[in-house]
Structure formats: structure tokens, C-alpha cells
Amino acid sequence: LITGDLTKDGEKLSHTYVISKLDELREVGIQTLVIPGNHDRGANADAVVYDGATTSPVDVATNGWFATQYANYGYGSTSERESTSLTYACEPIEGLVVIGIDSGTDGMLSSATLNWIVGKASVAQESGKRVIAMMHHPLIPHVTNAESLVPTYVISNHDHIRKALIDAGIKVIFTGHFHTSDIAKDFNDELTAEIYDVNTGSLISYPCDYREVTISGDLSELSLTTGH
């Protein structure tokens, strides 16, 4: 699971390079699922190609281009897409539904997207399936007052979104964005259900954290270790 910011500024050339590496994993049987981060598409004047000390502008990914290029990594025919974003749901392992949430370039979810996510999670739970989610922007503030200092640190309206995901039965979400590694937990208002936000730092930021998740055969337990 790669929670966004696959490239520096959304350059198509960079995405093509990343996909070539994901293809290598796929060829040996390792399935990857991705979602876009705030750096992965849209107009960006910093998207350039280098030739020595000279830079030139390059094409940047759009939503449609991104979905087409990453068809093997979450956006193919075996996934269901939400019509207004790059949010999707798939079942890579029987009984385990993964919802990839597109938090946009500004860390915001529309009501339509949130309703779609809640609907998919609720249907999966009613069918006896487990649900995990991933999103670029954190769902829970991991650093005290960080959302006041950096407004885009967490997803906008995070209290409301968090409660909606908890009520839909989602117990764990994997996030990135802020180059920190921390696991936070929060509850619904009645303190009867919880969600864990597993926030992981960038692979380009020391000590280059990654997570390894093990799910039990009956999908009832999830354990997590951190490597560097």
C-alpha cells in the first residue's frame, strides 16, 4: 500500500518511472495498491525535467491519466470507482476490502465522496468482510497543534470524517503526507468503537520508515511492525 506522493510534482515522466518499478514487483507476484497524494497531479509550475543546470516544463498527470496509468495498481476493472474523485474500493484478498481514499491536492473530501466511502464500508461489513482504508492526509492530528500551524496537515473537517469512518466500521487507516511515523487512536462519541491512524514517514526521509502488516487467516487480527 503506497499512500500517495509517488512523485515530486506530478510529472508524467516520474509517474512512468514509478510504474516501471511497480511492474517489476508485479512480475514476481507482489501486488501494489496506490492512491495519489497532493504532489501527484494538477497544474504545478515546479514540474520540470533537468538537463544539467537547465530545467524545462513537463506534462503533469490529470485524474484520468493517473487512473489509466495505474490500472494495475488499484484503478483497474476489479475496483469500483467513486465518480467525482480517484477514490476506489477493491478486494485484493477474499474477505478483505481496501478503500483507497483520494484526499485531493488540498486535503479535502466532498460529501459525495465521504458518503460513497461510508456506503462501501457498510456494505462490506454487512457481508461479513473486513475493511481497511488508506488516504494521503492524516485522519488524526499526530503532533499537538500541528493542524493550527499547518492547516493542510490533516484532512479538512477531520473530526466529522473520523466519526463517519468509525460508524461505518473502519478500524484502521494508513496515511502519509507529513513525513512523520506515528500511530494514533480515537473513538466515537460513545467510546464504543475506535479507529487507528497508522501514519508513516516518507521513504526519502531518514530513517526511511516502512510498515509490515500481518493479518490473521480469519481476518480477525492485524499486527504491525516498523522497519527502517
Side-chain angles (χ1 to χ4, degrees):
L1 306 180
I2 305 180
T3 60
D5 282 358
L6 302 151
T7 63
K8 181 179 177 292
D9 292 303
E11 304 90 346
K12 287 183 177 180
L13 287 172
S14 294
H15 279 297
T16 299
Y17 173 80
V18 171
I19 291 165
S20 73
K21 295 303 177 183
L22 299 184
D23 287 344
E24 292 181 19
L25 297 180
R26 185 166 171 262
E27 287 170 3
V28 295
I30 299 172
Q31 177 62 52
T32 306
L33 297 175
V34 308
I35 51 170
N38 59 300
H39 282 274
D40 285 327
R41 66 261 154 95
N44 195 327
D46 293 328
V48 296
V49 63
Y50 290 84
D51 181 9
T54 302
T55 60
S56 304
V58 291
D59 290 340
V60 176
T62 61
N63 276 12
W65 188 91
F66 186 98
T68 299
Q69 297 301 309
Y70 287 96
N72 290 324
Y73 306 105
Y75 292 92
S77 59
T78 58
S79 297
E80 294 182 76
R81 278 273 307 279
E82 194 270 324
S83 61
T84 66
S85 70
L86 286 174
T87 297
Y88 66 90
C90 63
E91 192 173 344
I93 299 171
E94 185 177 355
L96 178 69
V97 173
V98 177
I99 300 180
I101 301 172
D102 176 11
S103 55
T105 58
D106 51 4
M108 299 182 70
L109 281 186
S110 69
S111 296
T113 300
L114 181 59
N115 290 339
W116 188 92
I117 294 165
V118 168
K120 291 299 174 188
S122 298
V123 168
Q125 300 284 356
E126 292 166 2
S127 302
K129 298 177 181 180
R130 302 288 181 174
V131 181
I132 61 174
M134 61 177 181
M135 178 171 68
H136 183 62
H137 293 79
L139 180 68
I140 301 173
H142 292 260
V143 179
T144 302
N145 293 326
E147 69 272 29
S148 299
L149 300 171
V150 184
T152 58
Y153 166 49
V154 290
I155 190 78
S156 180
N157 204 15
H158 56 89
D159 287 331
H160 171 69
I161 293 171
R162 189 158 63 249
K163 291 173 184 176
L165 297 187
I166 293 174
D167 289 344
I170 297 175
K171 293 188 177 298
V172 63
I173 184 168
F174 297 92
T175 63
H177 185 53
F178 213 62
H179 298 223
T180 55
S181 289
D182 186 61
I183 301 174
K185 180 182 182 181
D186 201 5
F187 296 86
N188 60 359
D189 291 339
E190 297 75 29
L191 304 181
T192 57
E194 72 283 337
I195 191 168
Y196 291 87
D197 179 353
V198 181
N199 186 239
T200 305
S202 170
L203 285 174
I204 64 168
S205 299
Y206 182 84
C208 310
D209 294 332
Y210 66 91
R211 310 284 195 179
E212 186 170 356
V213 179
T214 302
I215 301 176
S216 61
D218 62 359
L219 305 179
S220 65
E221 296 182 0
L222 180 152
S223 63
L224 185 146
T225 58
T226 302
H228 312 285

